[in-house]
Amino acid sequence: MILFQEASLEASEELLSEEKTLSVIDLIANGGTGSVVIIAILFVLLFVALYIYFERLFAIKAASKIDKNFMNQIRDHVSGGKLESARILCAQTDSPVARLTEKGISRIGKPLEDINKAIETAGTLEVYKLEKNVSILATVAGAAPMIGFLGTVIGMILAFHQMATSGGQAEMGQLASGIYTAMTTTVAGLIVGIIAYIGYNHLVVRTDKVVHTMESNAVDFLDLLNEPV
C-alpha cells in the first residue's frame, strides 16, 4: 500500500513537472495575435538597438585612436613654419582631433578669435557625427517597456472580456493562462529597454571621452599659437 502511494506521488510530481514546462516560443504563441505582434515589434527594436550600438561603438573607438606624438609633430611643423607639412599630416590622420587641428592650421594668420570659432564650429560637427543615431537608443529604451506594458494591458482586457462574456463562469485556468502569457510582453519590453538603456549610456560615456580629447588638443593647439616666436 505504501509502495503504491509512493509510486502515485512520484507520478503526480512528474505530471506536474511536465505541465509546468513551457518554452518561450509556446508563451509567445499562446498569447494570441496581439502578443505575437508586440513581441515581433520588440524583436525589431532589439535588432535596431544592437545594430546602432555596435555601429556607433566601432565608430567612436576608431575616432578615439590617435598617435600620442601627433600634437608634438604638429608643434614642430608649425613652429618651423612648415604649415603645408602640418596640413598633410592632419589629412593623413583620420580622427576628429586631426580634422580640428587642420581647420585651425588653415586659419593661421587670422585673429586668434576667428581661429577659435572655426575650431569650435568644426568640433560641433564632429560631435554631431559621433552622436549620430545614438538618440534612437534612448527612444528604444523608453518605448520598449511601454510597448511591453501595452501588450500586458491588452491581454488583461481580453481576459476580463472573456470573464464578462461568460457570465462569470469562465474557467480560472484559461484566465490565468491568458494573463500569464500576456505578462511575457512586459518581460520582453523590459529586457529590450534595459539593453538599449545600458548601450545608450555606454556610448555617451565613450563619446564624452572623445570630446574631452578633442577639447584638450584644441587648447594645446591654441596655446601653441600664443607661444612667443
Side-chain angles (χ1 to χ4, degrees), residues 38 40-53 133-149 185-201 203:
I38 290 176
I41 293 173
L42 291 173
F43 180 79
V44 172
L45 291 178
L46 177 62
F47 175 80
V48 171
L50 290 176
Y51 173 81
I52 292 175
Y53 171 75
N133 295 329
V134 174
S135 60
I136 296 179
L137 281 179
T139 302
V140 172
M146 289 191 291
I147 293 175
F149 290 141
T185 59
T186 298
V187 175
L190 290 174
I191 291 174
V192 175
I194 290 171
I195 292 174
Y197 181 76
I198 293 174
Y200 171 77
N201 282 281
L203 291 180

Side-chain angles (χ1 to χ4, degrees), residues 4 14 114 118 135 166 168 170 192:
F4 177 77
E14 291 178 359
D114 292 344
S135 60
S166 63
V192 175

Side-chain angles (χ1 to χ4, degrees), residues 59-98:
I60 294 172
K61 186 176 181 181
S64 63
K65 290 182 178 180
I66 187 171
D67 188 358
K68 295 181 179 180
N69 295 322
F70 175 76
M71 288 306 299
N72 292 330
Q73 293 176 328
I74 292 296
R75 182 184 299 273
D76 294 338
H77 289 319
V78 174
S79 299
K82 302 177 182 178
L83 299 182
E84 187 61 29
S85 298
R87 289 196 188 95
I88 293 175
L89 176 61
C90 292
Q92 293 175 345
T93 306
D94 185 16
S95 71
V97 171

Side-chain angles (χ1 to χ4, degrees), residues 12-32:
S12 299
E13 290 177 352
E14 291 178 359
L15 182 60
L16 289 173
S17 177
E18 291 177 357
E19 290 178 350
K20 291 181 180 179
T21 301
L22 191 61
S23 68
V24 175
I25 296 177
D26 290 334
L27 283 173
I28 297 172
N30 293 336

